[in-house]
Amino acid sequence: MVTKPADKDEALPLSVHDLTVAYHRRPVLWDVAFNVRPGRLVAIIGPNGAGKSTLIKAALDLTPRASGSVQVFGGTYRANRHRVGYVPQRESVDWDFPISAIEVVAMGLYREVGWFRRVGAKHRLKALEALDRVGIADLADRQISQLSGGQQQRAFLARALVQNADLYFMDEPFAAVDAATESAIVDLLGVMKQEGKTTLVVHHDLHTVPAYFDDVLLLNMRVVASGPVNEVFTQDNLQKTYGGRLTLLDEATQAVLRRERSL
């Protein structure tokens, strides 16, 4: 992962070029540029309002771009969307919608099933296998509103998994989950990496960045730094990213010190 993108390269899962996004003419992201190498676990970190979720939405064509471009496997997202999986923030989901956990997962198979068509036994089995991978196969027929927060998050992870994508975007998957779910997500990310998947994760817990991720993108409207955790996750870069937010800086400092002691 580098701060400046190279020329078009089909081997790169994601390449962002001079990306600017504005809401009501107010920039949220400004001249953002970076590459992501294949098979990497990448943390996107930065203060609230830094544009982390906006970056993901712009990459997925969910938010208009004022300028710049995003390449996914050397082409547009539209051309390669079948290779991309997405886990949105839990807060953005209508959990009262009357649907079961296995039906949520089956939504990830819409390309195979087709819209408004009944899910067959083959596709139900695929969905059930994905639920098993995240540890909630026994809850397959339970209404999504009846699941705990951690179980709901696992269901949406399973929906992304069943797509069998090559590139994943996850927006705060660790937010407000219990310790067991966090451990399950970490294990799953490790398995996905072994399978050659590339995953970008919006993440807030600075303490766990060195333990969970290969690369880190420090963002505050612009890219402050990006690259391997052991190179760019430094106190100086965190200071530049978070400015005077003392509580976060204290956490960051402790995380950096722990990483340095483990080397």
Side-chain angles (χ1 to χ4, degrees), residues 15 31 62 67 71 80 103 123 134 136 139 152 157-158 160 193 218 250 257 262:
S15 185
D31 285 342
L62 298 174
S67 62
Q71 293 179 354
N80 290 290
E103 288 171 330
H123 298 111
V134 299
I136 58 168
L139 303 176
Q152 291 172 342
L157 285 168
K193 179 183 175 180
L218 292 97
D250 287 343
L257 290 175
S262 68

Side-chain angles (χ1 to χ4, degrees), residues 6-21:
D7 293 334
K8 179 176 177 179
D9 185 348
E10 293 186 2
L12 290 176
L14 182 68
S15 185
V16 178
H17 299 252
D18 303 323
L19 175 65
T20 295
V21 176

Side-chain angles (χ1 to χ4, degrees), residues 68-247:
S69 64
V70 176
Q71 293 179 354
V72 176
F73 297 105
T76 64
Y77 166 70
R78 184 179 296 274
N80 290 290
R81 63 186 304 169
H82 61 287
R83 301 181 66 181
V84 180
Y86 173 44
V87 179
Q89 288 185 11
R90 286 187 59 250
E91 290 77 6
S92 66
V93 177
D94 179 7
W95 297 109
D96 293 325
F97 191 79
I99 189 171
S100 68
I102 197 166
E103 288 171 330
V104 167
V105 179
M107 291 169 63
L109 293 167
Y110 74 94
R111 284 184 173 275
E112 295 183 33
V113 178
W115 289 115
F116 309 114
R117 294 182 61 184
R118 186 179 180 85
V119 175
K122 178 180 70 172
H123 298 111
R124 183 178 173 85
L125 180 59
K126 283 186 178 182
L128 190 60
E129 289 173 348
L131 284 170
D132 186 57
R133 287 187 69 181
V134 299
I136 58 168
D138 57 322
L139 303 176
D141 295 318
R142 186 169 297 182
Q143 291 290 301
I144 197 73
S145 61
Q146 297 174 350
L147 301 181
S148 69
Q151 292 165 346
Q152 291 172 342
Q153 189 65 286
R154 293 189 195 208
F156 268 74
L157 285 168
R159 186 186 70 168
L161 282 177
V162 81
Q163 295 177 254
N164 194 27
D166 298 307
L167 171 64
Y168 286 91
F169 294 90
M170 299 186 181
D171 199 347
E172 300 188 42
F174 296 104
V177 299
D178 54 67
T181 297
E182 180 161 342
S183 178
I185 294 172
V186 172
D187 291 343
L188 183 62
L189 290 175
V191 172
M192 291 167 62
K193 179 183 175 180
Q194 291 175 359
E195 295 173 348
K197 313 296 186 183
T198 304
T199 308
L200 285 83
V201 179
V202 173
H203 192 59
H204 282 288
D205 185 1
L206 299 178
H207 295 93
T208 57
V209 169
Y212 291 177
F213 298 98
D214 304 313
D215 297 330
V216 60
L217 173 70
L218 292 97
L219 184 71
N220 195 343
M221 289 185 62
R222 298 174 181 263
V223 174
V224 177
S226 66
V229 170
N230 60 359
E231 294 179 10
V232 304
F233 192 68
T234 65
Q235 186 172 357
D236 182 55
N237 282 335
L238 289 163
Q239 175 71 45
K240 293 175 182 176
T241 304
Y242 288 93
R245 299 167 191 246
L246 297 178
T247 301

